[in-house]
């Protein structure tokens, strides 16, 4: 769940200004803003958790909600899988935009960014500097491009 709280400090500072402007322009009540953020944070903590829900529970929840299994695919080192399952609370946004994937078993996912797998590159200082550097090609340090045979994206892998 700790990965849910690792936003870049610059992003957080910029979002405060944007959210403040939205609150002023739209006139959102303070209690509604608190309720929104509590719901958002609960959803983010849930789908970034390591919970392994029974497949029948996944099938029911995935009709509406983003689950840890579904969102975990978004953190895969396979680029096609990373570019999917962007939703935070509801999965219908990914259905609408054609980015929904449920075809990868939880145990088959390697979490991370392919180009940044070396432990010495994952220090706190280097991670803070990462957004200000050019992005590397999506390859493992060995030069290999991680791939997996795609299945129908709607299929829930068991």
């Amino acid at each position: 769940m700790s990965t849910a709280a690792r936003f870049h400090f610059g992003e957080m500072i910029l979002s405060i200004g944007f959210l403040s402007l939205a609150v002023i322009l739209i006139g959102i009540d303070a209690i509604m803003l608190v309720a929104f953020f509590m719901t958002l944070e609960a959803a983010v903590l849930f789908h970034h958790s390591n919970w392994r829900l029974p497949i029948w529970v996944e099938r029911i929840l995935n009709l509406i909600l983003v689950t840890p299994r579904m969102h975990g695919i978004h953190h895969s080192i396979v680029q096609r899988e990373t570019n999917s399952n962007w939703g935070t609370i509801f999965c219908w946004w990914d259905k609408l935009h054609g980015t929904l994937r449920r075809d990868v078993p939880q145990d088959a996912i390697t979490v991370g960014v392919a180009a940044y797998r070396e432990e010495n590159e994952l220090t706190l200082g280097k991670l803070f500097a990462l957004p200000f550097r050019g992005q590397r090609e999506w390859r493992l340090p060995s030069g290999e491009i991680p791939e997996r045979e795609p299945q129908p994206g709607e299929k829930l892998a068991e």
Side-chain angles (χ1 to χ4, degrees):
M1 286 178 19
S2 63
T3 60
R6 55 142 184 65
F7 291 98
H8 192 272
F9 69 92
E11 181 180 3
M12 295 299 285
I13 290 170
L14 290 174
S15 70
I16 289 170
F18 176 78
L19 286 170
S20 299
L21 183 62
V23 167
I24 292 167
L25 291 175
I26 299 171
I28 298 172
D29 209 26
I31 193 72
M32 290 304 296
L33 190 63
V34 170
F36 166 76
F37 275 107
M38 288 177 65
T39 304
L40 176 71
E41 288 304 316
V44 169
L45 290 173
F46 171 62
H47 73 241
H48 280 98
S49 72
N50 291 329
W51 284 3
R52 293 180 180 272
L53 303 171
I55 199 72
W56 66 270
V57 174
E58 284 283 336
R59 284 192 176 108
I60 293 167
L61 291 178
N62 273 170
L63 294 172
I64 300 171
L65 299 175
V66 175
T67 62
R69 173 192 298 255
M70 182 186 145
H71 187 73
I73 295 169
H74 170 75
H75 291 283
S76 168
I77 64 169
V78 177
Q79 191 171 26
R80 176 179 28 78
E81 295 167 3
T82 297
N83 292 331
S84 66
N85 298 355
W86 298 91
T88 301
I89 300 173
F90 302 113
C91 64
W92 56 63
W93 298 112
D94 285 301
K95 286 181 185 179
L96 178 69
H97 295 287
T99 56
L100 178 65
R101 298 199 69 84
R102 295 187 276 208
D103 62 326
V104 183
Q106 243 172 333
D107 292 337
I109 296 169
T110 300
V111 172
V113 177
Y116 300 93
R117 305 292 302 161
E118 301 290 338
E119 193 173 325
N120 65 337
E121 294 184 318
L122 302 176
T123 64
L124 187 60
K126 289 183 179 179
L127 290 173
F128 274 126
L130 197 57
F132 304 104
R133 297 194 173 141
Q135 188 173 353
R136 294 181 185 164
E137 193 174 347
W138 198 277
R139 293 180 181 276
L140 294 169
S142 66
E144 178 188 354
I145 297 174
E147 265 305 326
R148 186 183 338 269
E149 192 64 36
Q151 303 295 319
E154 280 288 319
K155 177 182 176 261
L156 180 58
E158 297 196 31

